[in-house]
Amino acid sequence: MASRPRTLYEKIWDAHEVERREDGTSILFIDRHLVHEVTSPQAFEALRLSGRKVRRPELTLAVPDHNLPTTARIDAAGKRIPIADVESAQQLAALERNAPEFGVRYIGPTDINQGIVHVVGPETGFSLPGATIVCGDSHTSCHGGVGALAFGIGTSEVEHVLATQTLLLKQSKTMEIRVEGELLPGVTAKDLILHIIGVIGTAGGTGHVIEYRGKVFEDMSIESRLTVCNMSIEGGARAGLVAPDEKTFAYLKGREYAPRGEDWERAVAWWSSLRTDEGATFDKSVVINAADVQPTVTWGTSPEDTVAIGGVVPAPESFADPSKQKAAQASLDYMGLTPGQKMTDIEVQNIFIGSCTNSRIEDLRAAAKVLKGRKKADNVKWAIVVPGSGLVKHQAEEEGLDKIFIEAGLEWREPGCSACLGMNPDKVPAGERCASTSNRNFVGRQGPGARTHLVSPAMAAAAAVTGRLTDVRELVD
Amino acid sequence: MEPVRQVEGRAYPFGMKNVDTDIIIPAHWLKTISRDGLGRGAFEALRKDPANVFDRDDVKGAPIIVAGDNFGCGSSREHAAWALLDMGVKAVIAPSFSDIFSGNAFKNGILTVVLPQEAIDRLMEVAETDPITIDLESQTVTTPFQDRFTFEIDSFRKHCLLEGLDEVGLTLARGDAISAYEARQAKDMPWFAKGTALAA
C-alpha cells in the first residue's frame, strides 16, 4: 500500500480495512471479540429478534466476570453454588443460554480458564499482536499490551460485530506518549500510568489512539504493558498500544489459542514488522520524564486526580480552570479530605487487590513481596485479593502466594471483576476508604458513598500493613 | 431506528464537567437483560440531593441536557444512553463527549451536539427559563432570543439519523466485501482466522 511512513496504529488499521466509504467511514474487520454477561444480553436478543446469526462464532469468546461472587463456587459435594442475587443469576443464565445457541465458545464460572475477560484474552493467546480486538467493556484497551488494536464498544456495536464481524468506524487520530529515561526503583507500571493520566487529563486522549513509546515500555514485562494500556481509556483514549517485540512473542508462544507450526512462523514475521516507521508523525505527542514519576496515588474522584505519595491533598484554588476548582471541591467533600493533608496520613479501612488492571501473577507477586511475614493493620477491616483468572489463581497457589496473603490477614478469593465496580457482593461501605488496585475512583464506583484511592499492588499491600496510604519503599527495598 | 430531525423543548441546565457513565447510571443498574426502565436509575447519586436539576418541576421530562466538557467518559456501558432515552432525553449539548458514549448515543438516536464553552454558557442561561431547538438538517441550535449556534456532525451519522437507518442492515448489505476480506485474510494471515477453533 502507501509508501509513506506509518505509525503502528495505521499499519494495523490498514491491514483490517474491508472498505472505506466516500464519507470517510470504514468497515473494519474484527479479529477477536470478547463477550461477558453484562453488555451482551441485549445484543444477542436483538440478533434473535431479527433472525440474524453470528457470522464467525470462532472469533468470539464468552466469559462471565462482572457479576460472579468471588466466594466459593463449588460446594463440598462438588456441585456448583448458584448466585444468590436474582438479577446477577439471570444475567449469567442469559450468557449460558446465548453462547451455545449462537455457537460461541463459553468458559463457565467453575472452569479454570474463567477470569476477567482482559486477563483471559492475553493469557490464552486469544489476544494477538496486530489483531483488532473488541469487547463491550471500556478496559479492552488493555490488550494493546500485546501490540493489538483493542478498544471498548457499546452493546449495539457488540450486536454489529456478532452479526457482521466488522465495525463501522472512522480512523482515530494518533497520539504518542514517549517516556524518556528510566523509572526509579520501586516505581511500577501502575504508578507510571496514573502519573501519565495526571499529566494529560481524562480527556487528553479523546479521539486518539495512544502508542506508548520509549525504553521504559521496551523494558517492561508484557503484564506491565497490559496494566499501562488498560488505563488508556482513563486518559480518554479508546485504545493504547505498545509495539510487539520478542518479549511479546515469547509470552504468547504455546498458549491455547496462539498460532502453531508454520502459522506461528508466518505470524511472527508479520508481527515483527509492526512498529512505527522512522519519519511517521503523530497528531499529538506528549513527553514524560521517567525520573519524575513517584509511587502515585489518587486523592479525588477522577483518575486524573493524582499525586505522588509524598505529596499533599491539593487546594481547589491551586487549579487554574474555574470548573476544575469546583470539581476539586466536590471531590474533596465526597472524599472527606482537606487541602494540605499529607497523603500518608490518610487511613484506609479496605484493601482491594484485583481488577483487569492489576490481578495478574506479577501483581500478586508484588503484593505478596510486601506482605510476606507481615500482618494487616487492625484498622483495616476488609482486605481481599482477587486473582484475575483461574489460571492466575492456580499459579499463585503453586507459588504459595495465597498462604502469604492469608497469613497477613487478607482474604483469598475466586476470580472476577469484584470490588472494581461492585456488581457482585464485593463492595466498599459508604464513607469508608479503600486502597484499590483498580482503575476508577469515580463517585460510588466501589459502592454508594465509597471512597477510592487508586494505587499499585505493592502500594495496596503497604497500605494493608500500615492501615494508611504508605510509600512502599519504606517497607521493602 | 426512528428518524431524528429536530429536538425541541426545555433543557436541563446541568453544566457539570467530566460526567462519567457511573454518574449517568451506576453499576448496580446494569444487571438487567433489557434496554428499558433504566431512567429510574439515571443520575441516581445526584438525585439524592433534593435541589438536583433533574427533579426540578419546571424542567422535569426535558428532552435536552446542557452539560460540561467530556460528557460520558469512563465505561462503555450503553446503559448510559438507554437510561437517558428512558428519562426522555433525546439530545445532549456539551463542549466535548467521550468517544464511546457519543457512538452509543448515536446508535440510539440521541444527538450529541458539540458547541464551544461560550455557547454552552449562554444555553445554560436560556435553559433556566426557556426552550431550545436543535435542528439536525441545518445543524443549528436556536433559542427564542435569536441565539443561533451551528454545530458540526459526521456526515455518515447525520445521514443515518435523518433516515433512521439500521447500521447492521447497512453493513450486511456489504456482505460480499466482507467475504472477500475474509478470503484474503485466510490466505495471508491464517493465524487470525482460526480463533477458538484452535482449542486443544
Side-chain angles (χ1 to χ4, degrees):
Chain A
M1 207 185 267
S3 59
R4 93 187 153 75
R6 290 179 297 165
T7 63
L8 168 58
Y9 165 67
E10 290 164 325
K11 288 182 183 184
I12 300 176
W13 176 279
D14 289 347
H16 290 88
E17 205 174 54
V18 172
E19 61 180 13
R20 189 175 290 215
R21 298 163 49 97
E22 274 175 31
D23 58 29
T25 308
S26 298
I27 299 182
L28 194 75
F29 194 78
I30 301 302
D31 297 318
R32 297 289 183 264
H33 184 194
L34 290 151
V35 164
H36 61 80
E37 78 280 20
V38 179
T39 56
S40 68
Q42 295 87 348
F44 283 115
E45 182 63 13
L47 290 187
R48 210 176 277 122
L49 290 174
S50 55
R52 288 166 178 156
K53 52 189 186 113
V54 175
R55 184 181 176 95
R56 294 285 301 278
E58 74 281 15
L59 302 187
T60 293
L61 182 60
V63 195
D65 54 9
H66 285 62
N67 277 277
L68 300 185
T70 54
T71 44
R73 290 182 188 156
I74 301 177
D75 66 17
K79 270 181 57 184
R80 191 166 132 187
I81 301 171
I83 300 183
D85 182 280
V86 176
E87 287 181 300
S88 290
Q90 189 186 29
Q91 226 167 30
L92 176 66
L95 186 61
E96 301 208 308
R97 192 172 62 242
N98 288 328
E101 181 183 334
F102 288 91
V104 169
R105 190 174 182 88
Y106 172 70
I107 301 175
T110 58
D111 191 310
I112 187 164
N113 283 306
Q114 184 273 335
I116 307 171
V117 281
H118 309 311
V119 175
V120 172
E123 80 178 1
T124 57
F126 187 67
S127 308
L128 296 173
T132 46
I133 303 177
V134 297
C135 173
D137 190 287
S138 62
H139 291 109
T140 309
S141 59
C142 188
H143 309 255
V146 296
L149 172 58
F151 50 91
I153 56 178
T155 297
S156 295
E157 289 174 305
V158 171
E159 176 194 349
H160 195 279
V161 174
L162 290 171
T164 72
Q165 204 54 45
T166 67
L167 279 175
L168 286 173
L169 287 173
K170 275 204 164 145
Q171 207 167 341
S172 299
K173 286 183 274 199
T174 54
M175 178 170 180
E176 162 192 49
I177 292 184
R178 203 168 68 244
V179 175
E180 294 188 336
E182 292 191 24
L183 292 175
L184 299 171
V187 174
T188 68
K190 180 66 167 286
D191 301 307
L192 175 60
I193 189 62
L194 285 172
H195 178 89
I196 288 171
I197 295 161
V199 171
I200 68 173
T202 54
T206 303
H208 293 75
V209 166
I210 296 173
E211 182 179 342
Y212 298 97
R213 286 153 61 81
K215 188 168 176 299
V216 163
F217 301 108
E218 289 164 23
D219 289 347
M220 260 182 199
S221 67
I222 302 305
E223 297 195 348
S224 288
R225 293 179 193 175
L226 292 167
T227 298
V228 169
C229 292
N230 178 280
M231 290 190 71
S232 301
I233 185 65
E234 266 40 86
R238 211 169 166 179
L241 70 179
V242 175
D245 57 13
E246 291 301 326
K247 250 186 227 176
T248 320
F249 311 149
Y251 172 87
L252 289 167
K253 192 166 186 179
R255 292 188 188 257
E256 189 170 11
Y257 303 125
R260 300 172 199 143
E262 194 204 345
D263 275 357
W264 174 261
E265 301 305 324
R266 288 179 67 191
V268 168
W270 184 61
W271 294 340
S272 303
S273 73
L274 294 177
R275 358 199 80 240
T276 291
D277 292 327
E278 193 80 33
T281 52
F282 290 85
D283 295 305
K284 203 168 175 179
S285 194
V286 173
V287 179
I288 305 273
N289 182 4
D292 292 344
V293 185
Q294 296 289 322
T296 300
V297 298
T298 60
W299 53 267
T301 56
S302 166
E304 69 184 25
D305 297 339
T306 63
V307 62
I309 185 64
V312 298
V313 175
E317 316 77 86
S318 66
F319 298 98
D321 175 3
S323 70
K324 180 70 195 174
Q325 290 180 3
K326 212 173 134 193
Q329 187 56 58
S331 283
L332 294 184
D333 293 344
Y334 179 82
M335 294 296 290
L337 297 172
T338 41
Q341 199 173 349
K342 284 170 73 178
M343 293 310 292
T344 48
D345 284 346
I346 298 174
E347 286 196 8
V348 296
Q349 299 79 35
N350 304 273
I351 304 288
F352 172 55
I353 298 175
S355 88
C356 58
T357 312
N358 281 129
S359 63
R360 297 177 184 79
I361 191 68
E362 277 183 18
D363 300 316
L364 303 189
R365 284 179 191 146
K369 188 180 165 194
V370 178
L371 288 163
K372 190 169 186 176
R374 294 192 168 103
K375 298 266 181 230
K376 77 169 175 64
D378 289 340
N379 63 307
V380 172
K381 296 191 287 190
W382 189 67
I384 61 170
V385 185
V386 183
S389 71
L391 291 174
V392 171
K393 180 167 186 263
H394 177 75
Q395 176 68 29
E397 288 172 356
E398 290 280 296
E399 296 178 18
L401 305 185
D402 56 326
K403 292 194 180 61
I404 296 175
F405 294 130
I406 293 165
E407 277 163 22
L410 283 73
E411 296 174 45
W412 178 239
R413 298 290 191 99
E414 297 295 321
C417 301
S418 182
C420 173
L421 81 170
M423 276 192 77
N424 76 346
D426 304 336
K427 292 180 183 62
V428 175
E432 292 189 9
R433 291 179 198 288
C434 182
S436 175
T437 66
S438 55
N439 40 57
R440 290 190 173 134
N441 50 350
F442 295 159
V443 169
R445 172 84 178 179
Q446 295 193 292
R451 295 163 168 171
T452 304
H453 294 277
L454 300 177
V455 294
S456 75
M459 291 282 282
V465 171
T466 62
R468 52 183 173 77
L469 296 178
T470 298
D471 189 336
V472 65
R473 296 173 299 188
E474 291 168 13
L475 298 184
V476 291
D477 297 331
Chain B
M1 196 166 78
E2 292 293 309
V4 183
R5 308 199 78 82
Q6 216 176 54
V7 180
E8 187 176 14
R10 288 296 296 273
Y12 297 105
F14 186 31
M16 188 171 166
K17 206 175 157 172
N18 288 322
V19 174
D20 60 65
T21 50
D22 281 75
I23 293 178
I24 301 173
I25 187 85
H28 70 95
W29 286 91
L30 310 190
K31 293 185 184 183
T32 173
I33 56 171
S34 155
R35 298 177 193 234
D36 304 321
L38 289 164
R40 284 176 295 131
F43 301 106
E44 187 175 59
L46 298 177
R47 292 173 94 156
K48 287 189 179 138
D49 174 1
N52 84 84
V53 71
F54 297 104
D55 292 312
R56 219 172 82 180
D57 285 338
D58 62 327
V59 285
K60 206 167 166 68
I64 301 171
I65 294 176
V66 183
D69 245 338
N70 201 22
F71 187 88
C73 61
S75 144
S76 65
R77 60 188 70 164
E78 195 159 320
H79 308 68
W82 300 334
L84 295 184
L85 211 55
D86 196 53
M87 65 183 278
V89 170
K90 298 192 167 61
V92 184
I93 309 175
S96 66
F97 293 87
S98 91
D99 295 335
I100 302 179
F101 175 79
S102 68
N104 286 340
F106 153 67
K107 285 175 175 62
N108 288 278
I110 298 173
L111 295 177
T112 51
V113 177
V114 176
L115 287 177
Q117 189 61 49
E118 306 82 71
I120 299 295
D121 294 343
R122 171 62 187 148
L123 292 174
M124 286 287 288
E125 279 174 25
V126 173
E128 288 295 336
T129 49
D130 287 273
I132 289 171
T133 302
I134 305 168
D135 185 78
L136 180 57
E137 182 72 59
S138 63
Q139 297 177 213
T140 56
V141 176
T142 52
T143 73
F145 308 99
Q146 269 63 54
D147 298 288
R148 187 173 187 279
F149 306 104
T150 58
F151 61 89
E152 295 296 319
I153 180 168
D154 178 87
S155 59
F156 173 71
R157 285 188 176 178
K158 180 178 177 180
H159 173 71
C160 289
L161 287 166
L162 287 172
E163 304 295 327
L165 295 177
D166 160 29
E167 266 198 30
V168 176
L170 275 180
T171 305
L172 283 174
R174 300 301 303 146
D176 289 351
I178 300 171
S179 298
Y181 178 89
E182 286 173 324
R184 275 203 311 277
Q185 191 185 59
K187 190 161 123 308
D188 299 341
M189 300 182 183
W191 60 86
F192 280 150
K194 291 176 186 162
T196 59
L198 265 180

